[in-house]
Amino acid sequence: MEALREFICQYSLLSATDWARISACFEKTEVEKGNLILAEGSICRHLYFIETGLLRFFFLKDGNEVTKFFTEAPYCFTSQASFTTEQPAKESIQALEPSVMYRIPFQAANDLLSLPGWNTFVRKLIQEVQGYTEEILQELQTLTAEERYEHLLKNQPELAQRVPLKYLASYLGIAAPSLSRIRKKILDKDRSSHR
C-alpha cells in the first residue's frame, strides 16, 4: 500500500496515525484484463486507487461502446456522479490490462473527511479531475481527431502503445480505419523528416 500513501502525499501531508486510519479502510482487489470494475446501470459503491494497470471508461450509445477516457496507474478513480449520489452509473469501467487496486467504500471515504490530510487530498483530487475533464471537453470542441491524436502522442506516448486501436479511435471520435490512416500519415511524416 506504499504506492497509495505516496500518491496521497503528493497532494497532502499525512501523519502516521492518519495513515493508519486511512489504510485500514482500503481493501486490495485484483482485476483480470477485460473484466468490468463497474457496469453501466449499477451503483458505484467505492473510491479506487489503481496501483498497476490501465482502465477504460465507456458508455453505450445506440448499441455501440463509446470510450470517454483512460486512467493509468497510479491514480484514484470512481464513477463520480454515481459514487457521490448513489444513483446508477451512466458509464462502465473496464480493465484493459491485469490491474491491482485498492478500494474504499463510500461511507468510510466520507467518514475520513474529518481528517484534515484526507480532506485536503480529496478536495485537490476532485479539482484536478475537473481540470482534466474540462481539458478533454475543450479538445473535443476545438481540435480535429488528428490533432487530438498528435496531442496524445506528445503527452502520453505510452498510452497510444498500450490501448487497442478500436478504443483509441472511439476515444478520438473516429472509425478505426480513419485512425489507421492518421497513424500512417504521422509515421510517413516522421520518416521523411528524419531523412
Side-chain angles (χ1 to χ4, degrees):
M1 282 185 96
E2 200 45 47
L4 172 59
R5 185 177 189 168
E6 283 173 19
F7 181 76
I8 295 172
C9 288
Q10 289 174 7
Y11 299 82
S12 174
L13 295 173
L14 293 178
S15 67
T17 49
D18 283 3
W19 171 243
R21 262 190 73 186
I22 293 164
S23 58
C25 297
F26 276 86
E27 63 168 350
K28 186 178 181 179
T29 175
E30 296 186 25
V31 183
E32 289 177 30
K33 179 182 176 175
N35 284 6
L36 289 182
I37 294 138
L38 177 71
E40 189 174 331
S42 58
I43 296 170
C44 185
R45 307 264 182 210
H46 295 88
L47 170 69
Y48 296 84
F49 170 74
I50 177 169
E51 186 177 64
T52 59
L54 176 65
L55 310 172
R56 173 176 80 107
F57 285 66
F58 69 94
F59 61 92
L60 288 173
K61 186 182 178 186
D62 305 326
N64 296 313
E65 291 181 4
V66 178
T67 299
K68 285 170 67 178
F69 55 85
F70 308 98
T71 297
E72 294 178 90
Y75 209 70
C76 278
F77 73 95
T78 189
S79 175
Q80 199 171 346
S82 176
F83 181 68
T84 51
T85 63
E86 297 183 82
Q87 296 294 313
K90 293 185 168 76
E91 63 198 350
S92 296
I93 307 173
Q94 180 188 36
L96 291 184
E97 296 173 355
S99 300
V100 175
M101 51 194 77
Y102 294 88
R103 64 185 196 174
I104 181 171
F106 173 77
Q107 197 52 56
N110 237 15
D111 292 345
L112 288 176
L113 290 173
S114 60
L115 301 178
W118 176 259
N119 194 308
T120 300
F121 162 67
V122 169
R123 191 170 38 79
K124 287 184 176 177
L125 186 71
I126 289 169
Q127 287 169 347
E128 187 174 75
V129 169
Q130 283 172 336
Y132 288 148
T133 307
E134 282 170 25
E135 208 177 295
I136 290 170
L137 282 172
Q138 192 176 353
E139 278 182 23
L140 275 169
Q141 291 165 340
T142 58
L143 302 180
T144 65
E146 188 170 338
E147 286 167 338
R148 287 185 70 212
Y149 183 62
E150 285 179 332
H151 184 261
L152 183 79
L153 284 180
K154 194 175 127 195
N155 296 294
Q156 297 170 289
E158 68 297 331
L159 197 60
Q161 303 299 318
R162 292 164 69 190
V163 174
L165 183 81
K166 63 178 178 177
Y167 299 147
L168 265 183
S170 167
Y171 169 70
L172 295 168
I174 55 174
S178 303
L179 180 54
S180 291
R181 281 195 295 276
I182 289 170
R183 274 185 160 174
K184 186 182 179 315
K185 187 176 159 187
I186 291 168
L187 224 71
D188 291 346
K189 201 162 68 178
D190 284 353
R191 282 196 191 116
S192 61
S193 68
H194 287 106
R195 274 182 194 146

